[in-house]
Amino acid sequence: MSRTKKVATSPAGTTLPLVSGLSDSESRIYHSVFDSVMNQRIAPGTKLPEQALCELFSANRPTVRKVLQRLAHDHIVDLRPNRGAVVAAPTPEETRQIFEARRLLEATIVPLVAQRISKAEIASLHKQLRDEHSAIHRADQPAWARLASAFHLRLAELSGNTILHGYLHELVSRCSLIVALYEPPGNAACEHDEHARIVDYLENGEPAKAVRVMNEHLLDLERRICLDKPQAEKSLAQMLGLG
């Protein structure tokens, strides 16, 4: 979702990637909110008051505002005039439109990949799938989710169309947020076997079958979304893992 570099230190002393364009202290706040949303500790619609964030992170308002603006750019929060920042809460109609747009876009990308892909690139996709499979068996959900998204974005790169890749990057980010917020526990964000079938069809020169599997794959992902979830009664500090 965001390009990263260097590292920042978390409150627990671990290292975090430094978000491009943000300082280490700003990156620390960004990751705290981002990870809390993606791990379902913060519910959709939760208010993120500037003053509370300033106090929790010992930061000034300009720092907090810059982080909130970046989170809004990445579709993690919504900035509402005179109401401040809240965790994004996609509506059922927005969710339908986002997934519809993604299916149409990936149905365009896959045939372009089939026209251009080389044996070396097929081999690199198989390597990527092995890494994905390894993350599944380690029960490493964050790594699995990142690799699952990376698979779709890699196909977009291989299409040779940078415009389509840019559009898909935004849609994958928005779908990842929806899945993180609303998918019931115990489901995979992306099914590894479906990725493998797509690569096999590309390798065998069967793009129509690859498109069909991709479409079914994204429809299944959308069907697992449950937009009606109860909100837990916790303080903002607890939801951010700070108290």
Side-chain angles (χ1 to χ4, degrees), residues 182-230:
Y182 296 114
E183 189 175 50
N187 285 317
C190 251
E191 294 294 341
H192 173 80
D193 289 347
E194 292 170 349
H195 287 180
R197 288 171 61 202
I198 290 166
V199 174
D200 287 344
Y201 284 134
L202 288 171
E203 185 172 14
N204 294 332
E206 299 178 284
K209 292 182 179 180
V211 169
R212 177 176 53 79
V213 174
M214 179 68 81
N215 190 63
E216 293 171 354
H217 171 50
L218 296 174
L219 281 170
D220 286 343
L221 181 58
E222 183 180 2
R223 291 188 190 108
R224 294 199 299 267
I225 301 300
C226 178
L227 294 172
D228 185 19
K229 290 183 60 175

mmCIF file of all heavy atoms in Angstrom, residues 182-230:
data_model
loop_
_atom_site.group_PDB
_atom_site.id
_atom_site.type_symbol
_atom_site.label_atom_id
_atom_site.label_comp_id
_atom_site.label_asym_id
_atom_site.label_seq_id
_atom_site.Cartn_x
_atom_site.Cartn_y
_atom_site.Cartn_z
ATOM 1 N N TYR A 182 -13.722 -6.971 7.519
ATOM 2 C CA TYR A 182 -15.022 -7.651 7.501
ATOM 3 C C TYR A 182 -14.998 -9.157 7.279
ATOM 4 O O TYR A 182 -16.033 -9.799 7.420
ATOM 5 C CB TYR A 182 -15.903 -7.024 6.420
ATOM 6 C CG TYR A 182 -16.251 -5.585 6.683
ATOM 7 C CD1 TYR A 182 -15.793 -4.570 5.856
ATOM 8 C CD2 TYR A 182 -17.053 -5.232 7.768
ATOM 9 C CE1 TYR A 182 -16.124 -3.241 6.086
ATOM 10 C CE2 TYR A 182 -17.388 -3.903 8.007
ATOM 11 C CZ TYR A 182 -16.927 -2.912 7.162
ATOM 12 O OH TYR A 182 -17.250 -1.608 7.397
ATOM 13 N N GLU A 183 -13.866 -9.740 6.899
ATOM 14 C CA GLU A 183 -13.892 -11.188 6.666
ATOM 15 C C GLU A 183 -13.867 -11.927 7.999
ATOM 16 O O GLU A 183 -13.049 -11.619 8.868
ATOM 17 C CB GLU A 183 -12.709 -11.638 5.811
ATOM 18 C CG GLU A 183 -12.837 -13.091 5.378
ATOM 19 C CD GLU A 183 -11.735 -13.516 4.425
ATOM 20 O OE1 GLU A 183 -10.570 -13.277 4.750
ATOM 21 O OE2 GLU A 183 -12.061 -14.074 3.375
ATOM 22 N N PRO A 184 -14.759 -12.902 8.205
ATOM 23 C CA PRO A 184 -14.761 -13.663 9.457
ATOM 24 C C PRO A 184 -13.429 -14.364 9.684
ATOM 25 O O PRO A 184 -12.747 -14.753 8.730
ATOM 26 C CB PRO A 184 -15.885 -14.691 9.243
ATOM 27 C CG PRO A 184 -16.758 -14.084 8.198
ATOM 28 C CD PRO A 184 -15.834 -13.316 7.294
ATOM 29 N N PRO A 185 -13.017 -14.529 10.958
ATOM 30 C CA PRO A 185 -11.755 -15.211 11.263
ATOM 31 C C PRO A 185 -11.735 -16.630 10.703
ATOM 32 O O PRO A 185 -12.763 -17.287 10.583
ATOM 33 C CB PRO A 185 -11.732 -15.238 12.801
ATOM 34 C CG PRO A 185 -12.655 -14.148 13.221
ATOM 35 C CD PRO A 185 -13.730 -14.086 12.165
ATOM 36 N N GLY A 186 -10.521 -17.087 10.351
ATOM 37 C CA GLY A 186 -10.363 -18.463 9.893
ATOM 38 C C GLY A 186 -10.381 -18.623 8.392
ATOM 39 O O GLY A 186 -10.118 -19.699 7.878
ATOM 40 N N ASN A 187 -10.676 -17.536 7.659
ATOM 41 C CA ASN A 187 -10.665 -17.608 6.199
ATOM 42 C C ASN A 187 -9.358 -17.069 5.658
ATOM 43 O O ASN A 187 -8.756 -16.171 6.227
ATOM 44 C CB ASN A 187 -11.818 -16.790 5.606
ATOM 45 C CG ASN A 187 -13.154 -17.484 5.775
ATOM 46 O OD1 ASN A 187 -13.274 -18.673 5.577
ATOM 47 N ND2 ASN A 187 -14.161 -16.723 6.172
ATOM 48 N N ALA A 188 -8.931 -17.610 4.539
ATOM 49 C CA ALA A 188 -7.734 -17.100 3.882
ATOM 50 C C ALA A 188 -8.097 -15.905 3.029
ATOM 51 O O ALA A 188 -9.116 -15.903 2.357
ATOM 52 C CB ALA A 188 -7.123 -18.201 3.002
ATOM 53 N N ALA A 189 -7.239 -14.879 3.067
ATOM 54 C CA ALA A 189 -7.506 -13.692 2.258
ATOM 55 C C ALA A 189 -7.463 -14.022 0.775
ATOM 56 O O ALA A 189 -8.146 -13.407 -0.031
ATOM 57 C CB ALA A 189 -6.478 -12.613 2.577
ATOM 58 N N CYS A 190 -6.686 -14.989 0.396
ATOM 59 C CA CYS A 190 -6.603 -15.429 -0.988
ATOM 60 C C CYS A 190 -6.328 -16.929 -0.972
ATOM 61 O O CYS A 190 -5.571 -17.407 -0.115
ATOM 62 C CB CYS A 190 -5.468 -14.703 -1.718
ATOM 63 S SG CYS A 190 -5.999 -13.495 -2.936
ATOM 64 N N GLU A 191 -6.918 -17.656 -1.864
ATOM 65 C CA GLU A 191 -6.730 -19.098 -1.895
ATOM 66 C C GLU A 191 -5.508 -19.455 -2.732
ATOM 67 O O GLU A 191 -5.431 -19.152 -3.924
ATOM 68 C CB GLU A 191 -7.975 -19.785 -2.460
ATOM 69 C CG GLU A 191 -9.209 -19.643 -1.573
ATOM 70 C CD GLU A 191 -9.052 -20.357 -0.241
ATOM 71 O OE1 GLU A 191 -8.169 -21.240 -0.127
ATOM 72 O OE2 GLU A 191 -9.803 -20.027 0.689
ATOM 73 N N HIS A 192 -4.537 -20.098 -2.099
ATOM 74 C CA HIS A 192 -3.284 -20.442 -2.756
ATOM 75 C C HIS A 192 -3.509 -21.340 -3.972
ATOM 76 O O HIS A 192 -2.892 -21.147 -5.019
ATOM 77 C CB HIS A 192 -2.359 -21.131 -1.754
ATOM 78 C CG HIS A 192 -1.104 -21.667 -2.361
ATOM 79 N ND1 HIS A 192 -0.020 -20.869 -2.635
ATOM 80 C CD2 HIS A 192 -0.775 -22.924 -2.787
ATOM 81 C CE1 HIS A 192 0.936 -21.609 -3.184
ATOM 82 N NE2 HIS A 192 0.502 -22.859 -3.295
ATOM 83 N N ASP A 193 -4.395 -22.337 -3.851
ATOM 84 C CA ASP A 193 -4.617 -23.277 -4.956
ATOM 85 C C ASP A 193 -5.136 -22.570 -6.204
ATOM 86 O O ASP A 193 -4.800 -22.969 -7.333
ATOM 87 C CB ASP A 193 -5.596 -24.369 -4.528
ATOM 88 C CG ASP A 193 -4.989 -25.332 -3.515
ATOM 89 O OD1 ASP A 193 -3.752 -25.304 -3.345
ATOM 90 O OD2 ASP A 193 -5.747 -26.095 -2.899
ATOM 91 N N GLU A 194 -5.957 -21.542 -6.006
ATOM 92 C CA GLU A 194 -6.477 -20.803 -7.162
ATOM 93 C C GLU A 194 -5.360 -20.035 -7.857
ATOM 94 O O GLU A 194 -5.314 -19.954 -9.089
ATOM 95 C CB GLU A 194 -7.599 -19.877 -6.713
ATOM 96 C CG GLU A 194 -8.849 -20.646 -6.269
ATOM 97 C CD GLU A 194 -9.891 -19.773 -5.607
ATOM 98 O OE1 GLU A 194 -9.575 -18.602 -5.291
ATOM 99 O OE2 GLU A 194 -11.021 -20.246 -5.405
ATOM 100 N N HIS A 195 -4.438 -19.474 -7.081
ATOM 101 C CA HIS A 195 -3.276 -18.809 -7.683
ATOM 102 C C HIS A 195 -2.477 -19.807 -8.525
ATOM 103 O O HIS A 195 -2.035 -19.496 -9.640
ATOM 104 C CB HIS A 195 -2.381 -18.223 -6.587
ATOM 105 C CG HIS A 195 -2.943 -17.007 -5.923
ATOM 106 N ND1 HIS A 195 -2.296 -16.339 -4.909
ATOM 107 C CD2 HIS A 195 -4.090 -16.320 -6.132
ATOM 108 C CE1 HIS A 195 -3.020 -15.308 -4.521
ATOM 109 N NE2 HIS A 195 -4.112 -15.278 -5.248
ATOM 110 N N ALA A 196 -2.283 -20.997 -7.973
ATOM 111 C CA ALA A 196 -1.506 -22.009 -8.679
ATOM 112 C C ALA A 196 -2.191 -22.421 -9.988
ATOM 113 O O ALA A 196 -1.526 -22.617 -11.020
ATOM 114 C CB ALA A 196 -1.304 -23.232 -7.778
ATOM 115 N N ARG A 197 -3.504 -22.545 -9.966
ATOM 116 C CA ARG A 197 -4.229 -22.908 -11.187
ATOM 117 C C ARG A 197 -4.102 -21.812 -12.240
ATOM 118 O O ARG A 197 -3.969 -22.113 -13.440
ATOM 119 C CB ARG A 197 -5.696 -23.160 -10.853
ATOM 120 C CG ARG A 197 -5.946 -24.454 -10.074
ATOM 121 C CD ARG A 197 -7.378 -24.529 -9.579
ATOM 122 N NE ARG A 197 -8.335 -24.521 -10.676
ATOM 123 C CZ ARG A 197 -9.611 -24.165 -10.559
ATOM 124 N NH1 ARG A 197 -10.074 -23.752 -9.379
ATOM 125 N NH2 ARG A 197 -10.416 -24.213 -11.597
ATOM 126 N N ILE A 198 -4.140 -20.569 -11.831
ATOM 127 C CA ILE A 198 -3.997 -19.456 -12.773
ATOM 128 C C ILE A 198 -2.635 -19.537 -13.466
ATOM 129 O O ILE A 198 -2.533 -19.395 -14.693
ATOM 130 C CB ILE A 198 -4.183 -18.111 -12.050
ATOM 131 C CG1 ILE A 198 -5.642 -17.931 -11.633
ATOM 132 C CG2 ILE A 198 -3.732 -16.945 -12.940
ATOM 133 C CD1 ILE A 198 -5.871 -16.816 -10.639
ATOM 134 N N VAL A 199 -1.586 -19.770 -12.682
ATOM 135 C CA VAL A 199 -0.237 -19.869 -13.264
ATOM 136 C C VAL A 199 -0.146 -21.064 -14.203
ATOM 137 O O VAL A 199 0.445 -20.979 -15.285
ATOM 138 C CB VAL A 199 0.828 -19.951 -12.152
ATOM 139 C CG1 VAL A 199 2.213 -20.198 -12.752
ATOM 140 C CG2 VAL A 199 0.842 -18.658 -11.329
ATOM 141 N N ASP A 200 -0.735 -22.183 -13.803
ATOM 142 C CA ASP A 200 -0.700 -23.370 -14.678
ATOM 143 C C ASP A 200 -1.374 -23.079 -16.020
ATOM 144 O O ASP A 200 -0.851 -23.483 -17.083
ATOM 145 C CB ASP A 200 -1.408 -24.543 -13.993
ATOM 146 C CG ASP A 200 -0.588 -25.133 -12.849
ATOM 147 O OD1 ASP A 200 0.624 -24.851 -12.785
ATOM 148 O OD2 ASP A 200 -1.178 -25.850 -12.015
ATOM 149 N N TYR A 201 -2.513 -22.408 -16.005
ATOM 150 C CA TYR A 201 -3.204 -22.091 -17.257
ATOM 151 C C TYR A 201 -2.394 -21.113 -18.107
ATOM 152 O O TYR A 201 -2.362 -21.224 -19.336
ATOM 153 C CB TYR A 201 -4.595 -21.535 -16.980
ATOM 154 C CG TYR A 201 -5.607 -22.589 -16.579
ATOM 155 C CD1 TYR A 201 -6.456 -22.396 -15.490
ATOM 156 C CD2 TYR A 201 -5.726 -23.775 -17.301
ATOM 157 C CE1 TYR A 201 -7.400 -23.358 -15.121
ATOM 158 C CE2 TYR A 201 -6.649 -24.745 -16.943
ATOM 159 C CZ TYR A 201 -7.483 -24.534 -15.857
ATOM 160 O OH TYR A 201 -8.398 -25.489 -15.505
ATOM 161 N N LEU A 202 -1.733 -20.157 -17.463
ATOM 162 C CA LEU A 202 -0.873 -19.234 -18.213
ATOM 163 C C LEU A 202 0.293 -19.991 -18.843
ATOM 164 O O LEU A 202 0.662 -19.750 -20.000
ATOM 165 C CB LEU A 202 -0.349 -18.136 -17.287
ATOM 166 C CG LEU A 202 -1.364 -17.086 -16.835
ATOM 167 C CD1 LEU A 202 -0.759 -16.187 -15.755
ATOM 168 C CD2 LEU A 202 -1.841 -16.244 -18.016
ATOM 169 N N GLU A 203 0.866 -20.910 -18.082
ATOM 170 C CA GLU A 203 1.999 -21.687 -18.584
ATOM 171 C C GLU A 203 1.583 -22.569 -19.757
ATOM 172 O O GLU A 203 2.363 -22.788 -20.698
ATOM 173 C CB GLU A 203 2.566 -22.549 -17.452
ATOM 174 C CG GLU A 203 3.826 -23.307 -17.826
ATOM 175 C CD GLU A 203 4.462 -24.000 -16.628
ATOM 176 O OE1 GLU A 203 3.788 -24.111 -15.575
ATOM 177 O OE2 GLU A 203 5.623 -24.432 -16.749
ATOM 178 N N ASN A 204 0.333 -23.058 -19.728
ATOM 179 C CA ASN A 204 -0.151 -23.946 -20.785
ATOM 180 C C ASN A 204 -0.782 -23.197 -21.955
ATOM 181 O O ASN A 204 -1.323 -23.820 -22.875
ATOM 182 C CB ASN A 204 -1.174 -24.932 -20.197
ATOM 183 C CG ASN A 204 -0.546 -25.890 -19.202
ATOM 184 O OD1 ASN A 204 0.645 -26.198 -19.290
ATOM 185 N ND2 ASN A 204 -1.341 -26.362 -18.248
ATOM 186 N N GLY A 205 -0.742 -21.845 -21.913
ATOM 187 C CA GLY A 205 -1.306 -21.063 -23.009
ATOM 188 C C GLY A 205 -2.817 -21.115 -23.074
ATOM 189 O O GLY A 205 -3.401 -21.155 -24.171
ATOM 190 N N GLU A 206 -3.466 -21.121 -21.903
ATOM 191 C CA GLU A 206 -4.930 -21.175 -21.841
ATOM 192 C C GLU A 206 -5.465 -19.961 -21.077
ATOM 193 O O GLU A 206 -5.983 -20.084 -19.955
ATOM 194 C CB GLU A 206 -5.382 -22.475 -21.167
ATOM 195 C CG GLU A 206 -4.946 -23.728 -21.909
ATOM 196 C CD GLU A 206 -5.366 -25.000 -21.182
ATOM 197 O OE1 GLU A 206 -4.718 -25.341 -20.186
ATOM 198 O OE2 GLU A 206 -6.355 -25.624 -21.624
ATOM 199 N N PRO A 207 -5.359 -18.760 -21.655
ATOM 200 C CA PRO A 207 -5.738 -17.539 -20.942
ATOM 201 C C PRO A 207 -7.219 -17.473 -20.550
ATOM 202 O O PRO A 207 -7.551 -16.925 -19.507
ATOM 203 C CB PRO A 207 -5.372 -16.419 -21.916
ATOM 204 C CG PRO A 207 -5.313 -17.077 -23.258
ATOM 205 C CD PRO A 207 -4.824 -18.461 -23.002
ATOM 206 N N ALA A 208 -8.103 -18.023 -21.394
ATOM 207 C CA ALA A 208 -9.537 -17.966 -21.076
ATOM 208 C C ALA A 208 -9.826 -18.721 -19.780
ATOM 209 O O ALA A 208 -10.634 -18.276 -18.951
ATOM 210 C CB ALA A 208 -10.357 -18.547 -22.224
ATOM 211 N N LYS A 209 -9.165 -19.867 -19.586
ATOM 212 C CA LYS A 209 -9.355 -20.619 -18.351
ATOM 213 C C LYS A 209 -8.758 -19.868 -17.158
ATOM 214 O O LYS A 209 -9.311 -19.888 -16.053
ATOM 215 C CB LYS A 209 -8.739 -22.012 -18.478
ATOM 216 C CG LYS A 209 -9.477 -22.911 -19.462
ATOM 217 C CD LYS A 209 -8.850 -24.300 -19.525
ATOM 218 C CE LYS A 209 -9.621 -25.195 -20.501
ATOM 219 N NZ LYS A 209 -9.027 -26.555 -20.587
ATOM 220 N N ALA A 210 -7.629 -19.207 -17.387
ATOM 221 C CA ALA A 210 -7.008 -18.423 -16.319
ATOM 222 C C ALA A 210 -7.926 -17.276 -15.898
ATOM 223 O O ALA A 210 -8.069 -16.989 -14.701
ATOM 224 C CB ALA A 210 -5.661 -17.876 -16.773
ATOM 225 N N VAL A 211 -8.567 -16.637 -16.865
ATOM 226 C CA VAL A 211 -9.506 -15.547 -16.559
ATOM 227 C C VAL A 211 -10.695 -16.091 -15.770
ATOM 228 O O VAL A 211 -11.155 -15.467 -14.801
ATOM 229 C CB VAL A 211 -9.988 -14.862 -17.851
ATOM 230 C CG1 VAL A 211 -11.160 -13.922 -17.561
ATOM 231 C CG2 VAL A 211 -8.844 -14.082 -18.502
ATOM 232 N N ARG A 212 -11.194 -17.257 -16.170
ATOM 233 C CA ARG A 212 -12.341 -17.843 -15.473
ATOM 234 C C ARG A 212 -12.013 -18.139 -14.014
ATOM 235 O O ARG A 212 -12.796 -17.827 -13.104
ATOM 236 C CB ARG A 212 -12.784 -19.129 -16.182
ATOM 237 C CG ARG A 212 -13.937 -19.843 -15.475
ATOM 238 C CD ARG A 212 -14.410 -21.052 -16.262
ATOM 239 N NE ARG A 212 -13.336 -21.967 -16.595
ATOM 240 C CZ ARG A 212 -12.806 -22.851 -15.740
ATOM 241 N NH1 ARG A 212 -13.266 -22.917 -14.506
ATOM 242 N NH2 ARG A 212 -11.838 -23.659 -16.136
ATOM 243 N N VAL A 213 -10.837 -18.711 -13.761
ATOM 244 C CA VAL A 213 -10.437 -19.014 -12.383
ATOM 245 C C VAL A 213 -10.249 -17.721 -11.587
ATOM 246 O O VAL A 213 -10.656 -17.640 -10.422
ATOM 247 C CB VAL A 213 -9.148 -19.856 -12.358
ATOM 248 C CG1 VAL A 213 -8.647 -20.035 -10.921
ATOM 249 C CG2 VAL A 213 -9.392 -21.220 -12.989
ATOM 250 N N MET A 214 -9.645 -16.714 -12.207
ATOM 251 C CA MET A 214 -9.457 -15.439 -11.522
ATOM 252 C C MET A 214 -10.802 -14.834 -11.128
ATOM 253 O O MET A 214 -10.971 -14.326 -10.002
ATOM 254 C CB MET A 214 -8.687 -14.470 -12.424
ATOM 255 C CG MET A 214 -8.465 -13.088 -11.803
ATOM 256 S SD MET A 214 -7.337 -13.128 -10.388
ATOM 257 C CE MET A 214 -5.753 -13.131 -11.262
ATOM 258 N N ASN A 215 -11.768 -14.873 -12.039
ATOM 259 C CA ASN A 215 -13.084 -14.306 -11.750
ATOM 260 C C ASN A 215 -13.763 -15.049 -10.595
ATOM 261 O O ASN A 215 -14.315 -14.426 -9.672
ATOM 262 C CB ASN A 215 -13.961 -14.366 -13.000
ATOM 263 C CG ASN A 215 -15.248 -13.589 -12.845
ATOM 264 O OD1 ASN A 215 -15.240 -12.374 -12.674
ATOM 265 N ND2 ASN A 215 -16.381 -14.276 -12.902
ATOM 266 N N GLU A 216 -13.706 -16.380 -10.630
ATOM 267 C CA GLU A 216 -14.287 -17.180 -9.550
ATOM 268 C C GLU A 216 -13.580 -16.905 -8.227
ATOM 269 O O GLU A 216 -14.214 -16.819 -7.168
ATOM 270 C CB GLU A 216 -14.183 -18.671 -9.895
ATOM 271 C CG GLU A 216 -15.056 -19.086 -11.083
ATOM 272 C CD GLU A 216 -14.754 -20.509 -11.539
ATOM 273 O OE1 GLU A 216 -13.777 -21.109 -10.998
ATOM 274 O OE2 GLU A 216 -15.464 -21.012 -12.429
ATOM 275 N N HIS A 217 -12.287 -16.760 -8.296
ATOM 276 C CA HIS A 217 -11.447 -16.484 -7.132
ATOM 277 C C HIS A 217 -11.881 -15.187 -6.453
ATOM 278 O O HIS A 217 -12.080 -15.134 -5.234
ATOM 279 C CB HIS A 217 -10.003 -16.392 -7.630
ATOM 280 C CG HIS A 217 -9.010 -15.919 -6.643
ATOM 281 N ND1 HIS A 217 -8.879 -16.431 -5.370
ATOM 282 C CD2 HIS A 217 -8.048 -14.966 -6.742
ATOM 283 C CE1 HIS A 217 -7.893 -15.815 -4.742
ATOM 284 N NE2 HIS A 217 -7.385 -14.917 -5.552
ATOM 285 N N LEU A 218 -12.069 -14.120 -7.236
ATOM 286 C CA LEU A 218 -12.445 -12.826 -6.675
ATOM 287 C C LEU A 218 -13.896 -12.813 -6.215
ATOM 288 O O LEU A 218 -14.234 -12.152 -5.227
ATOM 289 C CB LEU A 218 -12.189 -11.720 -7.706
ATOM 290 C CG LEU A 218 -10.715 -11.528 -8.084
ATOM 291 C CD1 LEU A 218 -10.582 -10.522 -9.226
ATOM 292 C CD2 LEU A 218 -9.888 -11.081 -6.882
ATOM 293 N N LEU A 219 -14.763 -13.542 -6.905
ATOM 294 C CA LEU A 219 -16.148 -13.659 -6.446
ATOM 295 C C LEU A 219 -16.223 -14.373 -5.097
ATOM 296 O O LEU A 219 -16.977 -13.966 -4.207
ATOM 297 C CB LEU A 219 -16.992 -14.417 -7.485
ATOM 298 C CG LEU A 219 -17.452 -13.621 -8.703
ATOM 299 C CD1 LEU A 219 -18.057 -14.558 -9.744
ATOM 300 C CD2 LEU A 219 -18.461 -12.543 -8.313
ATOM 301 N N ASP A 220 -15.442 -15.433 -4.934
ATOM 302 C CA ASP A 220 -15.415 -16.156 -3.663
ATOM 303 C C ASP A 220 -14.930 -15.247 -2.537
ATOM 304 O O ASP A 220 -15.464 -15.278 -1.420
ATOM 305 C CB ASP A 220 -14.502 -17.384 -3.759
ATOM 306 C CG ASP A 220 -15.119 -18.514 -4.558
ATOM 307 O OD1 ASP A 220 -16.356 -18.482 -4.764
ATOM 308 O OD2 ASP A 220 -14.375 -19.419 -4.979
ATOM 309 N N LEU A 221 -13.919 -14.458 -2.833
ATOM 310 C CA LEU A 221 -13.391 -13.536 -1.833
ATOM 311 C C LEU A 221 -14.460 -12.540 -1.406
ATOM 312 O O LEU A 221 -14.643 -12.278 -0.200
ATOM 313 C CB LEU A 221 -12.179 -12.792 -2.413
ATOM 314 C CG LEU A 221 -11.463 -11.796 -1.509
ATOM 315 C CD1 LEU A 221 -10.954 -12.471 -0.244
ATOM 316 C CD2 LEU A 221 -10.324 -11.131 -2.256
ATOM 317 N N GLU A 222 -15.202 -12.013 -2.361
ATOM 318 C CA GLU A 222 -16.257 -11.052 -2.043
ATOM 319 C C GLU A 222 -17.381 -11.702 -1.241
ATOM 320 O O GLU A 222 -17.920 -11.096 -0.304
ATOM 321 C CB GLU A 222 -16.818 -10.443 -3.327
ATOM 322 C CG GLU A 222 -17.864 -9.375 -3.081
ATOM 323 C CD GLU A 222 -18.421 -8.764 -4.351
ATOM 324 O OE1 GLU A 222 -18.022 -9.209 -5.457
ATOM 325 O OE2 GLU A 222 -19.251 -7.848 -4.256
ATOM 326 N N ARG A 223 -17.741 -12.942 -1.581
ATOM 327 C CA ARG A 223 -18.848 -13.613 -0.890
ATOM 328 C C ARG A 223 -18.554 -13.844 0.591
ATOM 329 O O ARG A 223 -19.475 -13.970 1.403
ATOM 330 C CB ARG A 223 -19.141 -14.957 -1.560
ATOM 331 C CG ARG A 223 -19.752 -14.847 -2.953
ATOM 332 C CD ARG A 223 -20.187 -16.213 -3.464
ATOM 333 N NE ARG A 223 -20.553 -16.167 -4.871
ATOM 334 C CZ ARG A 223 -19.820 -16.696 -5.848
ATOM 335 N NH1 ARG A 223 -18.687 -17.333 -5.563
ATOM 336 N NH2 ARG A 223 -20.214 -16.613 -7.107
ATOM 337 N N ARG A 224 -17.275 -13.934 0.946
ATOM 338 C CA ARG A 224 -16.927 -14.201 2.343
ATOM 339 C C ARG A 224 -16.976 -12.949 3.219
ATOM 340 O O ARG A 224 -16.840 -13.035 4.441
ATOM 341 C CB ARG A 224 -15.526 -14.829 2.429
ATOM 342 C CG ARG A 224 -15.433 -16.211 1.815
ATOM 343 C CD ARG A 224 -14.213 -16.962 2.318
ATOM 344 N NE ARG A 224 -12.963 -16.302 1.982
ATOM 345 C CZ ARG A 224 -12.257 -16.567 0.883
ATOM 346 N NH1 ARG A 224 -12.689 -17.465 0.020
ATOM 347 N NH2 ARG A 224 -11.116 -15.946 0.652
ATOM 348 N N ILE A 225 -17.183 -11.799 2.602
ATOM 349 C CA ILE A 225 -17.228 -10.548 3.360
ATOM 350 C C ILE A 225 -18.507 -10.480 4.175
ATOM 351 O O ILE A 225 -19.605 -10.731 3.662
ATOM 352 C CB ILE A 225 -17.140 -9.329 2.414
ATOM 353 C CG1 ILE A 225 -15.843 -9.380 1.592
ATOM 354 C CG2 ILE A 225 -17.242 -8.028 3.199
ATOM 355 C CD1 ILE A 225 -14.594 -9.368 2.413
ATOM 356 N N CYS A 226 -18.384 -10.127 5.448
ATOM 357 C CA CYS A 226 -19.547 -9.966 6.326
ATOM 358 C C CYS A 226 -19.528 -8.532 6.851
ATOM 359 O O CYS A 226 -18.746 -8.197 7.739
ATOM 360 C CB CYS A 226 -19.470 -10.964 7.483
ATOM 361 S SG CYS A 226 -20.837 -10.804 8.644
ATOM 362 N N LEU A 227 -20.397 -7.683 6.283
ATOM 363 C CA LEU A 227 -20.353 -6.254 6.596
ATOM 364 C C LEU A 227 -21.019 -5.900 7.923
ATOM 365 O O LEU A 227 -20.888 -4.770 8.392
ATOM 366 C CB LEU A 227 -21.014 -5.451 5.466
ATOM 367 C CG LEU A 227 -20.286 -5.489 4.128
ATOM 368 C CD1 LEU A 227 -21.123 -4.821 3.050
ATOM 369 C CD2 LEU A 227 -18.936 -4.818 4.224
ATOM 370 N N ASP A 228 -21.703 -6.837 8.538
ATOM 371 C CA ASP A 228 -22.403 -6.570 9.797
ATOM 372 C C ASP A 228 -21.642 -7.214 10.938
ATOM 373 O O ASP A 228 -21.837 -8.380 11.257
ATOM 374 C CB ASP A 228 -23.828 -7.129 9.734
ATOM 375 C CG ASP A 228 -24.628 -6.773 10.984
ATOM 376 O OD1 ASP A 228 -24.225 -5.831 11.688
ATOM 377 O OD2 ASP A 228 -25.635 -7.455 11.246
ATOM 378 N N LYS A 229 -20.723 -6.431 11.560
ATOM 379 C CA LYS A 229 -19.920 -6.953 12.647
ATOM 380 C C LYS A 229 -20.112 -6.111 13.905
ATOM 381 O O LYS A 229 -20.111 -4.887 13.829
ATOM 382 C CB LYS A 229 -18.428 -6.941 12.272
ATOM 383 C CG LYS A 229 -18.042 -7.930 11.211
ATOM 384 C CD LYS A 229 -16.558 -7.904 10.958
ATOM 385 C CE LYS A 229 -15.771 -8.255 12.193
ATOM 386 N NZ LYS A 229 -14.317 -8.345 11.923
ATOM 387 N N PRO A 230 -20.256 -6.736 15.079
ATOM 388 C CA PRO A 230 -20.382 -5.966 16.314
ATOM 389 C C PRO A 230 -19.071 -5.284 16.662
ATOM 390 O O PRO A 230 -17.996 -5.782 16.338
ATOM 391 C CB PRO A 230 -20.728 -7.038 17.363
ATOM 392 C CG PRO A 230 -20.166 -8.304 16.799
ATOM 393 C CD PRO A 230 -20.304 -8.186 15.306
#
